[in-house]
Amino acid sequence: MTSDLVYSDHYTTDTRDQLLAKIEAHLRPERFAHVQRVEQTAIALAKQYGADVEKTSIAGLVHDYAKQRPDSDFLQAISDYRLDPDLANWNNAIWHGVVGPEFIKRELGIYDEEILNAVRYHTTGNPYMTTLEKIVYMADYIEPARDFDGVAEAREMTARDLDLGVAFQTWHTLTYLIAENKAIYPKTIETYNAWVPTSGLVK
Ligand code: GDP
Ligand code: FE
Ligand code: FE
């Protein structure tokens, strides 16, 4: 377990327990449990694929920090911080990742760009992702309580080859969104184009 993981002070002045308490105050219990499972899953992947365990822990814990805010908070942030005005046309599914770092910086005092990018990209992916960013994207998708058609395959591929896992999730999510007639955020398509056609994924 990671209760013995001691933070260095480089990325947050909080201890892990202090950070957990701040996150818990913003999330319902099921969501708080989810972010801790994502943290654990991500740490295991960090050990396998060689990412910084402390940064991985922090990114896993904060990835859904903004998930339970009212829409008005996001619209205010998009306006106040002069973010891309098109963001106002989207919804919580996109905002909690893309806009979430604005709250993480100001409320949690976490400024590390790789941690913030791991949050920004955790829902849509990104054409370029560092190992840490890929790990948070995958851990969110395959944490032990996830249960959907294809999750076993996603876990198996991610254990075998992190990039293959990224390609699989990207393909699977876009396929699902299209089947559900959902709006596709442009970044989701950019991620698909960067990852899927060249991935060697077999249909
Ligand atoms: P969670 O926050 O742990 O539940 O997981 P995610 O942040 O990965 O996903 C949040 C939701 O966003 C999921 O229901 C995804 O299917 C959805 N999502 C991902 N990409 C897109 C997109 O391009 N458009 C829309 N409309 N939804 C998306
Ligand atoms: Fe999320
Ligand atoms: Fe999540």
Side-chain angles (χ1 to χ4, degrees), residues 31 34 38 63-64 67 90-94 96-97 122-124 137 140-141 143 146 169 173-174 176-177 182-189:
R31 183 62 53 179
H34 162 72
V38 171
H63 84 279
D64 276 341
K67 182 91 176 180
W90 292 86
N91 56 33
N92 179 279
I94 299 303
H96 82 283
H122 88 265
T123 306
T124 63
Y137 182 64
D140 188 31
Y141 197 60
E143 58 97 339
R146 291 289 194 202
Q169 176 180 175
T173 299
L174 183 56
Y176 158 81
L177 292 167
K182 303 259 194 205
I184 312 297
Y185 188 63
K187 177 81 84 186
T188 301
I189 297 176

Side-chain angles (χ1 to χ4, degrees), residues 102-170:
E102 302 303 323
F103 303 109
I104 292 168
K105 282 186 276 187
R106 290 169 179 85
E107 297 173 15
L108 301 179
I110 294 167
Y111 297 96
D112 181 84
E113 272 301 312
E114 191 180 23
I115 294 173
L116 298 176
N117 281 338
V119 178
R120 287 189 181 102
Y121 305 152
H122 88 265
T123 306
T124 63
N126 196 57
Y128 175 76
M129 288 185 275
T130 65
T131 299
L132 172 62
E133 292 155 10
K134 292 173 194 171
I135 284 171
V136 173
Y137 182 64
M138 291 320 304
D140 188 31
Y141 197 60
I142 65 169
E143 58 97 339
R146 291 289 194 202
D147 185 15
F148 55 83
D149 270 357
V151 72
E153 209 178 348
R155 290 187 180 117
E156 188 273 316
M157 286 186 188
T158 307
R160 183 149 50 91
D161 175 344
L162 185 59
D163 284 3
L164 195 62
V166 170
F168 180 79
Q169 176 180 175
T170 300

Side-chain angles (χ1 to χ4, degrees), residues 22-88:
K22 290 178 182 174
I23 294 165
E24 185 172 20
H26 280 81
L27 299 179
R28 288 192 278 275
E30 328 78 74
R31 183 62 53 179
F32 182 56
H34 162 72
V35 303
Q36 292 174 87
R37 288 190 299 270
V38 171
E39 180 209 23
Q40 296 303 315
T41 304
I43 286 173
L45 290 171
K47 288 177 176 166
Q48 179 180 353
Y49 288 112
D52 184 291
V53 170
E54 178 182 352
K55 286 176 70 166
T56 300
S57 163
I58 296 168
L61 290 176
V62 303
H63 84 279
D64 276 341
Y65 177 70
K67 182 91 176 180
Q68 277 152 3
R69 301 209 166 223
D71 289 358
S72 55
D73 282 17
F74 289 106
L75 292 167
Q76 191 71 51
I78 291 162
S79 167
D80 285 352
Y81 309 135
R82 306 294 190 266
L83 306 184
D84 178 355
D86 175 63
L87 273 169

